[in-house]
Amino acid sequence: MEQDPHTDEQINHILSMNNVAVVGMSKNPSKAAHYVPKYLLDNNYNVIPINPTAEQILGKKCYDSVSEIDEDIDIVNVFRPSDQVLSVVLDAIKKKPKVIWLQEGIHNLEAEDLAKKEGIEIVFNRCMFAEHQRLLT
């Protein structure tokens, strides 16, 4: 699978943003959808879990969807299968995030084009944890 064309400088800029809604955040510590946002929390990001099956994860209140969050969102980090990304993006657009970040193995051209038309940057097939480690540690 291809990767988005962002340069290291552009990824660095994105990683400087603080408010990260994590769609599909998991309660299971062995899943990437848990340990990646935990890493972000440990590195001073404001992580907001999106998981309709949980009340709290890592001590943070869970929301059913991105559009329910009361605060501004910089990055929507998506841990959902590629075929579920379009509905996530449609919901996320309501909050006007700066970036939608699709984790490794996730790519949905229709959703990505829609986000771009709304002026939202798209990162796909990359891991925030791996990019943070590669560029900032």
Side-chain angles (χ1 to χ4, degrees):
M1 178 184 296
E2 65 180 296
Q3 191 177 68
D4 67 79
H6 286 88
T7 65
D8 285 354
E9 185 178 338
Q10 290 168 319
I11 294 295
N12 259 331
H13 174 70
I14 292 168
L15 290 171
S16 74
M17 300 174 190
N18 189 54
N19 287 341
V20 182
V22 181
V23 177
M25 190 162 160
S26 176
K27 298 173 273 190
N28 183 340
S30 68
K31 290 190 172 186
H34 180 89
Y35 64 76
V36 170
K38 181 178 185 320
Y39 172 86
L40 295 174
L41 266 172
D42 292 345
N43 282 274
N44 301 314
Y45 287 87
N46 178 33
V47 172
I48 304 152
I50 310 298
N51 182 329
T53 68
E55 300 254 334
Q56 279 193 351
I57 300 175
L58 296 173
K60 306 281 277 176
K61 176 186 175 184
C62 288
Y63 292 85
D64 290 347
S65 65
V66 174
S67 60
E68 291 181 10
I69 299 169
D70 298 334
E71 57 194 293
D72 290 339
I73 301 299
D74 297 318
I75 302 169
V76 176
N77 188 2
V78 181
F79 284 91
R80 301 301 308 145
S82 296
D83 64 355
Q84 294 178 18
V85 170
L86 182 58
S87 64
V88 171
V89 168
L90 286 167
D91 179 61
I93 284 171
K94 298 172 191 169
K95 289 298 292 181
K96 301 189 183 338
K98 296 177 182 89
V99 179
I100 294 176
W101 187 303
L102 306 178
Q103 283 291 132
E104 283 181 349
I106 304 172
H107 187 43
N108 182 309
L109 201 52
E110 183 182 1
E112 292 158 23
D113 287 344
L114 181 63
K116 287 176 191 169
K117 285 179 186 155
E118 294 290 328
I120 300 167
E121 271 191 83
I122 284 283
V123 176
F124 63 86
N125 195 28
R126 290 187 194 236
C127 175
M128 276 188 84
F129 172 91
E131 293 299 303
H132 187 276
Q133 290 241 305
R134 183 175 71 84
L135 296 169
L136 298 174
T137 59

